């Protein structure tokens, strides 16, 4: 007998007292504990109370026969294993018992060795069923736990990505850390405009990434041009205007940032086709880039720059409205003008409250030597107003 198999109690059911006694002796002498019942009803009461791992039952009995007992016992415990004892003429009944869930049947007169071997197989079968179910439940729990851990990890990774991009955008768009709220404000403005314009929530992450990294391509512009204090020559402007293409080449290699490419590559396109790098016009310009153009210009006009003084939010709105159809998408401008100024003022107030020192995410980004060297070139160049004629963009 297997050491892992439950050896009792075994429920013996037969209306013949002599048969019950013989069966009891067979199992008892092999180390099994037994309960005895004289009919199906008595057996069912004992089964419900004890849930025995194995039941050996006769078929033909008064009050409740073996077949009815089998059906009710299996309804109580689907793992119940039942051996059916039947006479030679009851084969059809035995088959019906097997169809109803009996594990096996044994013909009378019973051979003790055959009965014990059948009981052992039945108990091992039951143990196998229970073990598989427990293993399945354990596997399901582990899958749930692993899924929850993965979700937590993904959320943390997304937060890290967002913080890192924010640090990158700040480094790219500002002259020093103390004034690096520009990218955060423009991100806020862009998301508000995009939502009001009906952009699906699923696309807002791409817009957020594109806003934060729109000028990442400037890391490929030579210092002599990027940091030149005076006006650029036509040849130098040609080089400067390569930064959207450089940015596109950088971003499209990173799978989770590919959705940011439309803004990074097209943020200098104008509605009337006078922008660059492709001179796109109208709706050929990606919507995210059209939204960004309005948000970036609004922020540029309402904050002091080394080359220009800030104007009021009201005046900036009027200027953007005036440029609808030339510089900006008229539909996006219409959406922008419908948003209360208090909304933008709230974003501006929040975006202005940034620490003078870099936060942990920015510190981690700048700890990468190659990236730190590349970004150091860009952060020394003042941010330029996208909508200001003659600005270096």
């Amino acid at each position: 007998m297997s050491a892992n198999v439950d050896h009792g109690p075994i429920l013996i059911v037969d209306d013949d007292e002599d048969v019950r006694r013989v069966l009891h002796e067979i199992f008892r002498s092999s180390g099994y504990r037994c309960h005895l019942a004289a009919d199906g009803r008595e057996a069912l009461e004992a089964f419900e109370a004890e849930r025995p791992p194995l039941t050996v039952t006769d078929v033909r009995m008064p009050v409740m026969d073996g077949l009815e007992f089998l059906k009710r016992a299996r309804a109580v415990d689907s793992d119940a294993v039942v051996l059916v004892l039947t006479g030679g003429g009851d084969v059809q009944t035995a088959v019906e018992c097997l169809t109803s869930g009996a594990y096996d049947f044994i013909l009378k007169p019973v051979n003790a060795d055959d009965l014990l071997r059948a009981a052992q197989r039945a108990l091992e079968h039951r143990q196998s069923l229970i073990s598989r179910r427990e293993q399945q439940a354990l596997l399901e729990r582990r899958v749930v736990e692993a899924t929850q851990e993965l979700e937590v990890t993904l959320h943390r990774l997304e937060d890290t990505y967002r913080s890192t991009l924010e640090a990158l955008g700040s480094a790219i768009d500002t002259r020093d850390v103390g004034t690096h709220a520009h990218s955060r404000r423009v991100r806020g403005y862009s998301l508000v405009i995009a939502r009001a314009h009906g952009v699906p929530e699923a696309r807002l992450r791409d817009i957020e990434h594109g806003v934060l990294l729109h000028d990442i391509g400037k890391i490929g512009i030579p210092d002599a041009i990027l940091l030149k204090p005076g006006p650029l020559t036509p040849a130098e402007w040609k080089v400067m205007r390569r930064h959207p293409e450089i940015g596109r080449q950088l971003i499209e290699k990173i799978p989770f940032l590919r959705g940011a490419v439309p803004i990074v590559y097209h943020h200098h396109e104008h509605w009337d086709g006078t922008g660059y790098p492709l001179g796109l016009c109208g709706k050929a310009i990606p919507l995210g880039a059209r939204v960004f153009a309005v948000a970036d210009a609004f922020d540029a006009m309402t904050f002091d720059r080394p080359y220009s003084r800030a104007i009021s939010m009201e005046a900036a709105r009027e200027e953007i409205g005036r440029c609808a159809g030339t510089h900006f998408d008229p539909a996006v401008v219409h959406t922008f003008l419908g948003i209360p100024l208090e909304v933008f003022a709230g974003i501006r107030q929040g975006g202005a409250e940034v620490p003078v020192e870099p936060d942990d995410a920015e510190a981690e980004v700048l700890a990468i030597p190659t990236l730190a060297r590349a970004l150091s070139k860009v952060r020394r160049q003042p941010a330029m107003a996208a909508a200001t004629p003659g600005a270096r963009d």
Side-chain angles (χ1 to χ4, degrees), residues 1-33:
M1 292 184 293
S2 173
N4 295 324
V5 173
D6 191 348
H7 290 162
I10 290 178
L11 178 59
I12 298 172
V13 190
D14 201 297
D15 61 327
D16 189 319
E17 184 177 357
D18 290 337
V19 174
R20 291 199 305 271
R21 179 174 51 79
V22 171
L23 294 176
H24 184 198
E25 183 59 29
I26 291 173
F27 283 110
R28 188 189 62 79
S29 63
S30 296
Y32 292 95
R33 295 182 294 108

Side-chain angles (χ1 to χ4, degrees), residues 159-169 213 361-362 364-365:
D159 289 342
T160 299
Y161 282 155
R162 189 179 298 108
S163 298
T164 301
L165 292 177
E166 187 172 303
L168 280 169
L213 295 176
E362 185 171 5
E364 290 177 0
V365 172

Side-chain angles (χ1 to χ4, degrees), residues 28-342:
R28 188 189 62 79
S29 63
S30 296
Y32 292 95
R33 295 182 294 108
C34 301
H35 285 312
L36 308 181
D39 58 58
R41 180 178 296 174
E42 183 182 342
L44 187 59
E45 292 175 356
F47 184 88
E48 291 174 341
E50 296 288 340
R51 301 291 178 91
L54 173 66
T55 298
V56 179
T57 183
D58 191 13
V59 175
R60 298 186 181 279
M61 296 181 293
V63 184
M64 181 187 291
D65 63 19
L67 179 58
E68 182 64 22
F69 162 77
L70 170 63
K71 293 177 179 178
R72 296 195 183 190
R74 292 278 295 174
V76 172
D77 182 1
S78 61
D79 291 329
V81 287
V82 180
L83 293 177
V84 176
L85 304 180
T86 182
D90 291 333
V91 174
Q92 184 61 40
T93 302
V95 171
E96 188 176 355
C97 289
L98 291 176
T99 304
S100 299
Y103 176 74
D104 202 354
F105 69 90
I106 298 175
L107 295 176
K108 294 180 179 179
V110 174
N111 177 281
D113 290 337
D114 290 343
L115 177 60
L116 290 173
R117 282 194 292 268
Q120 181 70 17
R121 290 194 304 270
L123 290 169
E124 289 175 349
H125 171 73
R126 179 178 182 275
Q127 188 63 44
S128 176
L129 290 176
I130 294 173
S131 296
R132 283 202 298 268
R133 187 170 61 250
E134 290 176 347
Q135 291 173 358
Q136 179 67 24
L138 177 61
L139 178 60
E140 290 175 356
R141 285 197 302 271
R142 288 178 176 174
V143 169
V144 170
E145 292 170 357
T147 300
Q148 291 174 342
E149 291 176 0
L150 180 59
E151 289 176 350
V152 171
T153 300
L154 287 175
H155 285 315
R156 289 175 179 170
L157 185 59
E158 289 177 356
D159 289 342
T160 299
Y161 282 155
R162 189 179 298 108
S163 298
T164 301
L165 292 177
E166 187 172 303
L168 280 169
S170 298
I172 292 166
D173 288 338
T174 64
R175 180 171 188 149
D176 55 43
V177 178
T179 59
H180 76 306
H182 169 70
S183 63
R184 298 184 187 181
R185 292 192 303 269
V186 175
R187 176 181 60 180
Y189 297 159
S190 296
L191 293 178
V192 165
I193 297 170
R195 285 192 176 98
H197 200 66
V199 175
E201 287 290 325
R203 293 181 57 190
L204 295 182
R205 179 62 58 85
D206 291 337
I207 290 178
E208 183 179 16
H209 290 170
V211 170
L212 291 173
L213 295 176
H214 66 280
D215 269 345
I216 186 67
K218 288 183 178 177
I219 66 175
I221 303 302
D223 283 354
I225 296 175
L226 191 67
L227 305 179
K228 185 177 180 179
L232 299 181
T233 66
E236 290 170 335
W237 267 117
K238 185 176 180 179
V239 174
M240 174 66 80
R241 292 190 175 192
R242 290 189 59 245
H243 78 267
E245 171 63 25
I246 296 171
R248 181 186 67 81
Q249 293 175 1
L250 289 171
I251 297 302
E252 67 183 2
K253 297 176 183 177
I254 305 173
F256 88 98
L257 289 179
R258 285 174 185 157
V261 168
I263 292 180
V264 172
Y265 190 42
H266 297 292
H267 66 279
H268 285 301
E269 303 284 4
H270 296 168
W271 182 257
D272 61 4
T274 60
Y276 69 91
L278 301 182
L280 300 180
C281 64
K283 292 187 178 179
I285 304 170
L287 178 58
R290 287 180 266 148
V291 169
F292 168 81
V294 173
D296 189 51
F298 181 70
D299 187 71
M301 287 188 284
T302 54
F303 267 83
D304 286 337
R305 299 294 189 219
Y307 46 82
S308 66
R309 298 291 296 174
I311 61 177
S312 69
M313 284 189 169
E314 292 80 1
R317 276 165 60 110
E318 291 179 3
E319 180 64 14
I320 289 174
R322 187 184 65 80
C323 293
T326 54
H327 200 97
F328 307 116
D329 177 353
V332 173
V333 171
H334 178 75
T335 298
F336 166 74
L337 295 177
I339 300 172
L341 281 178
E342 292 77 11

